[in-house]
Amino acid sequence: MGTREAPIDMKDLVPEWIQRLATYPPGMPLEELEREYGITGSIKLASNENPFGPSPRAIAAIAAALTTLHRYPDGSGFYLRQALAERIGVAADAIILGNGSNDIIELAVRAFLRPGDEAVMADQAFVIYQMVVQAAGALPRQIPLRRFTHDLEAMHAAIGPTTRLVFLANPNNPTGTIYKRDEWEEFLDAVPPHVLVIADDAYADYVEDPDYPDSLSYQRRDRLLLTLRTFSKIYGLAGVRVGYGVGPLEVIEILNRIRQPFNVNALAQAAALAALDDQAHVERTRANNREGLAYLRTACERMGRAYVPSWANFLLIDVGDGAKVYDALLRRGVIVRPMDVYGFPHHLRVTVGTPAENQRFAESLAAVLGTATP
């Protein structure tokens, strides 16, 4: 008693590639931010969430499922996979469900990468790619963006004999940019047969561009292509965590071997199934996003601030000193995302909100920057 215990030395217990990992920086709960900064009525435009929330049908489905929470969820996601298969036009066995699409990213890394293998990805893309690859003892090969967009030519050139995976986010997070159909098809035709291409299309539902290559339409039995989609964005179900992957039967079967049997909870399955049928909610969200992006672009132009053209539900804006402006906005009750972790210290990423939220952000940014109110 009274002796001071020495801390546990983890050096010999944990692999070095795990020790080198940095913890993913989560945002502080909204209530805590308000308490710490002494503010009320704040708006959160930091996490690319749907400002309208989930479909009323999804909420009703969750309420109806509450009485069966003593039962384990359907381990195969039978009804949700059947509905998705009918919507997409593939076999249900070509679909795997995940606890968010992040879950499927991790499954693919665990299944296809050995220590020392390589995975090619953009340098400034979703940070989870690099983290999960490094956690598996593999090597993330990060290729710089070109004009804020995936450089598919350079990424193809980086593929070597030990490359097993290529991650492509289209639209890309955090830039919102897309690569077009011609360069995608050229890249896909040139990828060696030993490489699995993971097309992360989390924001695809927001894209309204005729040259956008929806990777679902490029699925073939003999092509190592895994498409990822999520219910977290346009469907507004980020809180229950449900995503899905579509790929060749052989790939999905391998992923299912290491998937936890109840990885998608019962409420998430019920909500996603109901949300699929509410196209009015999806169209309302898409229209709000279209108008909100236009408003934010115009506001930036009137304030003389550069931005990256976006096809997603957020805008990357050059504000000069990202950390300083982020903090000043926070004190006004406007929560956005600083981009230091992505290598954009001069930028902030702002999610498209409701019209009132977009206006409040623009007016607050103008006040912080000392420019005319847009």
Side-chain angles (χ1 to χ4, degrees):
M1 295 291 293
T3 59
R4 191 169 185 175
E5 296 180 354
I8 299 173
D9 185 0
M10 305 300 289
K11 189 182 302 181
D12 296 326
L13 303 178
V14 179
E16 59 175 314
W17 56 84
I18 299 293
Q19 295 182 42
R20 291 198 306 268
L21 274 175
T23 304
Y24 181 80
M28 190 182 295
L30 189 61
E31 296 78 10
E32 278 300 299
L33 280 171
E34 290 190 333
R35 185 191 62 78
E36 182 175 328
Y37 285 84
I39 55 178
T40 57
S42 59
I43 59 171
K44 184 186 176 190
L45 302 174
S47 301
N48 305 337
E49 297 152 337
N50 186 330
F52 296 145
S55 159
R57 297 187 188 185
I59 295 173
I62 288 176
L66 290 175
T67 58
T68 60
L69 289 186
H70 59 300
R71 305 292 186 193
Y72 284 104
D74 172 12
S76 71
F78 178 84
Y79 294 108
L80 181 53
R81 287 191 305 111
Q82 290 290 336
L84 286 167
E86 185 176 343
R87 177 71 59 88
I88 299 167
V90 299
D93 287 344
I95 299 173
I96 185 171
L97 302 181
N99 182 33
S101 54
N102 284 23
D103 187 23
I104 306 171
I105 291 171
E106 189 158 8
L107 291 176
V109 166
R110 288 172 55 201
F112 286 88
L113 289 183
R114 304 169 185 84
D117 284 345
E118 289 190 347
V120 172
M121 64 199 71
D123 185 26
Q124 290 160 311
F126 191 31
V127 69
I128 295 299
Y129 307 151
Q130 176 263 323
M131 291 179 65
V132 175
V133 168
Q134 187 174 328
L139 305 174
R141 186 90 181 270
Q142 295 169 287
I143 308 304
L145 298 176
R146 182 167 49 118
R147 296 191 294 274
F148 295 98
T149 307
H150 279 70
D151 186 344
L152 295 189
E153 185 177 348
M155 294 182 78
H156 174 258
I159 295 174
T162 60
T163 304
R164 295 291 177 262
L165 299 177
V166 174
F167 288 98
L168 298 174
N170 203 35
N172 183 43
N173 178 22
T175 61
T177 54
I178 62 172
Y179 48 79
K180 301 298 183 73
R181 181 173 293 107
D182 287 350
E183 54 185 326
W184 157 253
E185 291 179 349
E186 183 177 346
F187 173 85
L188 201 57
D189 289 341
V191 172
H194 70 276
V195 174
L196 173 65
V197 176
I198 300 180
D200 187 351
D201 295 353
Y203 298 93
D205 292 306
Y206 290 104
V207 180
E208 298 179 296
D209 189 311
D211 288 330
Y212 176 71
D214 180 353
S215 66
L216 283 172
S217 63
Y218 291 85
Q219 289 291 336
R220 256 183 13 207
R221 279 297 304 273
D222 61 343
R223 174 175 280 157
L224 281 177
L225 172 63
L226 178 65
T227 295
L228 302 182
R229 290 290 184 92
T230 182
F231 284 88
S232 295
K233 305 304 178 187
I234 206 165
Y235 289 104
L237 293 174
V240 294
R241 310 301 297 128
V242 55
Y244 62 97
V246 181
L249 297 176
E250 295 82 0
V251 170
I252 300 302
E253 195 272 333
I254 288 293
L255 299 184
N256 273 319
R257 292 186 190 186
I258 58 174
R259 177 181 63 83
Q260 292 292 323
F262 304 115
N263 64 326
V264 180
N265 70 74
L267 299 185
Q269 292 186 43
L273 189 58
L276 268 181
D277 287 333
D278 195 347
Q279 283 304 300
H281 184 73
V282 170
E283 289 303 329
R284 179 187 177 217
T285 301
R286 188 178 289 123
N288 177 77
N289 194 68
R290 183 189 314 123
E291 294 160 10
L293 276 177
Y295 173 85
L296 292 175
R297 290 194 299 263
T298 300
C300 287
E301 289 161 6
R302 289 178 176 172
M303 286 185 275
R305 308 311 308 185
Y307 60 86
V308 179
S310 174
W311 281 258
N313 68 334
F314 55 83
L315 199 64
L316 189 66
I317 304 170
D318 187 338
V319 296
D321 186 333
K324 181 179 179 181
V325 175
Y326 161 76
D327 187 67
L329 288 172
L330 191 58
R331 295 175 188 280
R332 292 173 173 267
V334 177
I335 306 167
V336 295
R337 189 69 182 264
M339 289 283 102
D340 309 58
V341 69
Y342 282 102
F344 294 122
H346 303 297
H347 292 73
L348 295 176
R349 190 190 68 195
V350 56
T351 305
V352 175
T354 64
E357 289 172 337
N358 297 334
Q359 182 177 351
R360 181 173 168 186
F361 162 76
E363 291 174 350
S364 298
L365 182 61
V368 167
L369 296 176
T371 63
T373 302

